[in-house]
Amino acid sequence: MEITFQINNQLTTFKTEPTTPLIQLLRSERQLTGAKLSCGIGRCGACSILMDGELVNACLIMAYQASGTSILTIEGLNEEGGHPIQKALLEEGGLQCGYCTPGMVMAITALFKRTPQPTDEEIMEGLSGNLCRCTGYTGIIRAIRRCMN
């Protein structure tokens, strides 16, 4: 099966099996390894990407479902010197091992797209699909608040 979609603003065509998970396609065919395959059942958010501007778990999306869409991965947010969300996470102690960080950055990006000035409740709701097992959420929430200022 041949599918075409945009990845980080580049139109890309793949030949793949219809049952190939999108996360596998991104990681193995495009070497976009920022999104992690962790739980594989959509609970941890390590594979978070934006599909047509909406936060999704790439482990739950089959490659064919991406046909005609626009995908944004953590690599697509890359800015010289680091993305402002990444900088805030680093400066506020919002990361340790960094495994969840790409997914967190994508979740925070989606949160700010929906709600530029989120309340504490909206922040918690926005992070609810992303797990951090080593930092805790205090530093992550401080980083979000820093980005709001």
Side-chain angles (χ1 to χ4, degrees):
M1 154 178 233
E2 189 171 285
I3 59 171
T4 300
F5 55 96
Q6 283 195 9
I7 302 176
N8 301 331
N9 295 317
Q10 290 188 325
L11 196 60
T12 308
T13 299
F14 295 97
K15 286 187 177 178
T16 187
E17 296 297 319
T19 56
T20 301
L22 181 57
I23 185 71
Q24 181 181 334
L25 193 70
L26 294 173
R27 291 180 59 83
S28 63
E29 298 295 324
R30 289 297 306 252
Q31 289 72 49
L32 297 169
T33 58
K36 309 288 189 260
L37 179 56
S38 188
C39 71
I41 56 174
R43 286 193 175 168
C44 72
C47 64
S48 296
I49 60 170
L50 299 184
M51 176 184 257
D52 289 336
E54 298 293 323
L55 187 68
V56 297
N57 293 317
C59 71
L60 298 179
I61 305 289
M62 295 294 114
Y64 78 90
Q65 293 175 296
S67 183
T69 68
S70 178
I71 301 293
L72 180 65
T73 70
I74 189 72
E75 291 86 352
L77 290 178
N78 194 17
E79 292 181 14
E80 191 170 319
H83 189 274
I85 295 171
Q86 293 169 313
K87 287 183 193 175
L89 285 168
L90 185 62
E91 292 166 0
E92 294 295 340
L95 58 92
Q96 270 186 4
C97 80
Y99 193 81
C100 71
T101 303
M104 286 288 181
V105 171
M106 299 311 290
I108 296 166
T109 299
L111 172 64
F112 282 142
K113 279 187 163 203
R114 286 189 314 270
T115 312
Q117 296 291 319
T119 64
D120 288 348
E121 187 173 280
E122 290 166 330
I123 290 171
M124 296 309 291
E125 173 77 23
L127 297 179
S128 64
N130 293 73
L131 299 177
C132 174
R133 293 181 174 90
C134 58
T135 301
Y137 292 88
T138 305
I140 295 168
I141 292 168
R142 275 195 316 264
I144 292 170
R145 288 186 181 129
R146 179 181 210 142
C147 290
M148 291 166 48
N149 296 325

